[in-house]
Amino acid sequence: MDQGIYPVPNHWANEALVDAARYRQMYARSITDPDGFWAEEAQRLDWMRPFSQVKATSFSAEDFGISWFADGTLNLSANCLDRHLAERGDAIAILWEPDDPAEPERRISYRALHEAVCRFANLLKARGVRRGDRVTLYLPMVPEAAVAMLACARIGAIHSIVFAGFSPEALAGRIEDCASRIVVTADEGLRGGRKVPLKANVDAALAHCADVDTVIVLRRTGADVAMVGGRDIDWATAVEAQPAECEPEEMGAEDPLFILYTSGSTGKPKGVLHTTGGYAVWAAMTHQYVFDYRPGQIYWCAADIGWVTGHSYVVYGPLMNGATTVMFEGVPNFPDASRFWQVVDKFGVEIFYGAPTALRALMREGDEWVRKTSRKSLQLLGSVGEPINPEAWEWYHHVVGEGRCPIVDTWWQTETGGAMISPLPGAVALKPGSATLPMFGVRPELVDGDGRLIEGAGEGCLVLADSWPGQMRTVWGDHDRFFQTYFTTFPGRYFTGDGCRRDEDGYYWITGRIDDVINVSGHRMGTAEIESALVAHPKVAEAAVVGMPHDLKGQGIYAYVTTNADVEPDDALRGELIRWVRSEIGPIASPDVVQFAPGLPKTRSGKIMRRILRKIAENDVSNLGDTSTLADPTVVDNLLANRPRLE
Ligand code: 6R9
């Protein structure tokens, strides 16, 4: 299975911040002396009041609690901006590349970013936003998205970013869940030459959210959008009237920084809450070590700020480290499949961090699109979001990186705040498809279905035995759900939801989700969420959704639908249901396959046997396993006979 080993290149071993010996020594210390290790790592931040406690954490039911650096105070916006001004105020903080290559790029210095953040922070305050208030951001990939995030952090407001590809319904649910009174958006977004009606979506969402009293609208395309008097204000005009200085609030290390909604195996998306101090230490430290980041380097993480990768590795991590972070508005294949590498050449990008789904799509277009660009600036490549298949890894390494650039395959989650299992490029030999070894302070363990620890090489559920500073602290508004979701499956341990293999060298190979979460192009979708959207359709009686293998997306969405008795299912209804899910949740949730079924396979107690549905979706029907507990075994014969033909 192992495809071979790529040893650490000599110049990396000699010049990297962390070499193999140092990695081992630092890792060992992080486990045996966490307080000492983290007290030192935390010095990378500017604290307003130093902390006297470091780690105070327990995963047990009796004394459950997670807190880091509890009595320290700091401001994350000041750590991203103010402290760089003296030394590198004129250095570029954000290098922005628009969707359309004919439009000019924007280069925003640390000083200019600081001023924009202060003005926007003052505007938020003028609209009544106070410490602890929630601010929903529904923005395209433009520098103002980072400005809005940092402005919230500056005044102690909690930002909740909703990916600009989500529908009005999904947006409304997230606004309501955290009760935010203010939404920041743009007239329209622009992706791949197509316009996204963001303001119109906000208007539709707000029909359900009576408590929102302010909508700040950024002009991106200049489209003529409806403005509601008293509620909607124009970003540019409003900030002009604001002072260019805004004192950063002194925040406790455990004060909330942001909420980010993510899908789980049950129920509605959860509001993952991250706090200030621990998250900041984690994002800054991992950004520095994983990417071996040196001041002055041009760094590009191609994730959208709507996902956690955009939070930690487009904005917070790089800016804390004084980096020049590239922000890209567009998509990998517009205007053509060379775009990523043209942007690399245009800016001289040295570190590129992307997702396997994009790489697979580009790989399919052929090497020519890559080869006609230079890419000579590239030194290091990264991967995140889903397991990278060895074929895509090899292509990334040999074609994109011309065999010269190590690949850091970083395993982590919205919940973890930053990279958890990842090679450090100067320290760890690479194996294509493996996220390799744990980050400092991370204690991965494998357990079997009964919770027994698996020692040495083996495969099981990936759990984490102890806390790390970047860990989420709660589910917004539902602390019990936080405990139930992550700490009860294997008591005393954090349950990741991922399956994993550990090889003879102690390398970790993530095999994918083992819960009811589907990873579509690196985006997490809960099956329950899509099912509830389907059953909300007036013609649908019941629905079950599972993942299926998909060449480009990693996993696709396979929906089994039982219609109401008086409905004749046909292709028109199939199309209608797909459009329905798109409008209920967003395009990323569109089912790839809809199979109509007069009945779903259920146990006698009425529980849907997803195992069978998964096997059918995976086209692995030779052995469906034990079907004896089914209430009606003929249901399965019908499912098998009526599988839609897939190309
Ligand atoms: C950062 C992010 C988390 C889930 C995670 C896992 C999958 C992410 C991965 C990976 C294999 C990697 N995942 N990175 N699987 N190798 N390098 O993606 O967060 O959106 O919360 O997704 O993504 O299944 O549990 P999030």
Side-chain angles (χ1 to χ4, degrees), residues 309 385-387 409-414 498 510 513 519 524:
T309 308
E386 53 178 316
D409 176 3
T410 61
W411 174 84
W412 59 291
Q413 309 180 297
T414 306
D498 280 313
I510 309 296
R513 301 292 300 199
N519 191 327
R524 275 164 69 167

Side-chain angles (χ1 to χ4, degrees), residues 62-79:
E62 305 79 65
D63 56 351
F64 180 70
I66 299 163
S67 122
W68 286 86
F69 316 111
D71 58 349
T73 63
L74 74 168
N75 183 284
L76 194 38
S77 144
N79 271 281

Side-chain angles (χ1 to χ4, degrees), residues 220-402:
R220 169 61 188 102
T221 63
D224 191 16
V225 293
M227 297 290 275
V228 176
R231 187 194 75 179
D232 299 354
I233 56 181
D234 176 75
W235 175 312
T237 326
V239 292
E240 240 168 72
Q242 296 297 332
E245 282 295 337
C246 171
E247 272 305 299
E249 280 281 318
E250 180 170 352
M251 305 303 293
E254 286 297 344
D255 282 338
L257 176 68
F258 68 81
I259 299 168
L260 183 56
Y261 286 86
T262 191
S263 298
S265 47
T266 55
K268 288 188 307 177
K270 297 182 284 283
V272 167
L273 184 92
H274 281 286
T275 57
T276 308
Y279 172 82
V281 170
W282 195 255
M285 180 194 81
T286 53
H287 175 263
Q288 186 191 27
Y289 291 146
V290 168
F291 300 107
D292 198 65
Y293 187 80
R294 311 306 173 88
Q297 282 187 312
I298 312 287
Y299 159 91
W300 179 14
C301 166
D304 191 283
I305 44 118
W307 311 113
V308 72
T309 308
H311 286 62
S312 301
Y313 298 116
V314 175
V315 179
Y316 287 120
L319 294 181
M320 275 187 277
N321 291 332
T324 296
T325 183
V326 174
M327 201 170 177
F328 177 46
E329 185 181 33
V331 296
N333 58 359
F334 176 81
D336 61 43
S338 279
R339 189 69 194 284
F340 268 0
W341 324 122
Q342 281 161 355
V343 175
V344 164
D345 287 350
K346 176 172 176 182
F347 295 137
V349 170
E350 293 156 277
I351 303 164
F352 176 81
Y353 188 31
T357 184
L359 299 172
R360 286 193 299 266
L362 295 177
M363 186 167 85
R364 195 177 66 163
E365 298 296 322
D367 298 357
E368 221 12 65
W369 295 106
V370 187
R371 295 208 198 278
K372 68 193 208 187
T373 62
S374 153
R375 288 157 289 111
K376 67 174 190 307
S377 56
L378 285 176
Q379 297 169 14
L380 180 65
L381 300 170
S383 174
V384 62
E386 53 178 316
I388 180 165
N389 46 310
E391 192 195 359
W393 195 103
E394 297 284 355
W395 183 81
Y396 199 21
H397 185 68
H398 293 290
V399 179
V400 176
E402 293 179 332

